[in-house]
Amino acid sequence: MAARPTTRFAPSPTGYLHLGHAHSALLARRAAREAGGRFLLRIEDIDRTRCRPEFTAAILEDLTWLGLEPDGPVRVQSAHFREYGAALDSLASRGLLYPCFCTRAEIAREVAAIGAAPHGPAHGPDGPLYPGTCRRLAPEERAARIAEGQPYALRLDMAAALAAAGGPLTYEEVGEGRLRCDPARFGDAVLARKDTPASYHLCVTHDDALQGVTLVTRGEDLRPATDLHRLLQALMGWPEPAYSHHPLLLGPDGRRLAKRDGARSLREMRAAGLDAAAVRALAGG
């Protein structure tokens, strides 16, 4: 890790920030400040069906109120799909991607059918692994279906990718040392689909490299994704940051704070009369 680290806070504008977000941002900023480094902000708004401009504006407002302004310009991912497309083209030119025409319903049916077999389907961090149906299509059939205008996702051919990466992959976890990765447990991961032209996994590794991020601080729930991220870094020749996965803040009921569960937002706390110092204290800052 560099002597002066660059860290980042990278929320998705699918709702208002809550204490869990503030906790993560404070940890990232503290890691940078204690070593005289930089703290960056990135808006990860690649999900065009769920992300909204008003939430982006609210994120900027909340961070300014908390005193967590970034060092340098804010990167907004939705303005850079062309860059992510170039990365996808690079992988495709090396035979590491293939088009997948299966719908979610078709995949679910095939996985269910496999589940009735003696050995059942393999499982990864996100559930049953894709069985590789479209990986086995002939090039001529793929081309014909694309020419017909059939929608498709782009999947990483995991076996080919691991062979191209060469050798075992590891990453540096702060306080734990080097840990071995197992990207294969993700199976043939989706790196792009019609409604999301580039996946979280591709965009986050691309941007960490582009922005010179040397220390990725994020929640423990994202630790499994590091295995796939290290594979993409190895395939693309992107630098390897160090990682620091922190425990998640929990609510009074012992469950992790989450937007979908109605976690109290920072805006609600401000409206209730709490000042920034009080909210930072609640967030562990």
Side-chain angles (χ1 to χ4, degrees):
M1 186 169 61
R4 293 188 176 183
T6 295
T7 66
R8 47 71 164 178
F9 175 53
S12 294
T14 57
Y16 295 116
L17 297 185
H18 54 63
L19 275 181
H21 296 113
H23 178 62
S24 190
L26 284 163
L27 290 177
R29 184 175 181 272
R30 182 182 303 151
R33 289 288 182 269
E34 288 178 349
R38 296 187 307 148
F39 167 68
L40 305 179
L41 173 63
R42 182 164 71 228
I43 301 297
E44 298 193 341
D45 60 343
I46 57 173
D47 186 340
R48 296 184 294 187
T49 62
R50 298 175 59 229
C51 295
R52 289 160 45 184
E54 57 266 37
F55 292 140
T56 295
I59 287 169
L60 300 176
E61 180 183 326
D62 286 343
L63 292 178
T64 297
W65 176 69
L66 283 174
L68 299 178
E69 297 91 345
D71 301 317
V74 177
R75 181 173 175 86
V76 180
Q77 287 187 332
S78 60
H80 301 280
F81 281 122
R82 183 174 298 179
E83 296 172 37
Y84 308 135
L88 289 167
D89 289 343
S90 174
L91 292 169
S93 70
R94 295 151 61 192
L96 301 179
L97 299 182
Y98 65 88
C100 174
F101 304 93
C102 299
T103 65
R104 289 183 174 91
E106 289 169 341
I107 293 171
R109 285 196 295 270
E110 184 161 355
V111 168
I114 295 172
H119 298 293
H123 283 69
D126 301 319
L129 298 186
Y130 176 66
T133 307
C134 290
R135 187 189 334 114
R136 298 185 285 271
L137 294 179
E140 297 80 12
E141 183 174 354
R142 291 176 179 173
R145 295 177 74 165
I146 291 173
E148 290 171 4
Q150 293 188 28
Y152 62 90
L154 289 175
R155 288 186 180 272
L156 182 68
D157 186 327
M158 182 57 69
L162 290 172
L169 294 170
T170 63
Y171 68 93
E172 181 72 21
E173 177 73 23
V174 174
E176 298 182 32
R178 295 210 69 83
L179 304 177
R180 186 156 181 168
C181 300
D182 180 21
R185 60 182 172 149
F186 282 86
D188 291 356
V190 171
L191 294 189
R193 64 172 81 248
K194 183 179 179 180
D195 55 354
T196 307
S199 76
Y200 159 75
H201 300 295
L202 180 77
C203 295
V204 72
T205 49
H206 174 282
D207 287 356
D208 284 342
L210 180 73
Q211 295 185 282
V213 173
T214 60
L215 175 62
V216 173
T217 59
R218 60 190 182 191
E220 184 68 27
D221 58 323
L222 287 172
R223 185 190 282 245
T226 309
D227 292 6
L228 182 54
H229 297 176
R230 281 292 296 119
L231 175 59
L232 292 172
Q233 289 159 359
L235 292 173
M236 297 299 297
W238 290 331
E240 174 198 346
Y243 292 85
S244 179
H245 293 96
H246 60 77
L248 303 178
L249 279 192
L250 304 179
D253 58 359
R255 299 171 60 190
R256 59 170 289 191
L257 298 175
K259 300 174 192 174
R260 63 178 177 272
D261 295 328
R264 192 182 185 197
S265 71
L266 302 185
R267 297 170 70 84
E268 291 172 322
M269 293 180 176
R270 184 161 71 246
L274 289 174
D275 61 21
V279 171
R280 285 197 302 270
L282 289 171

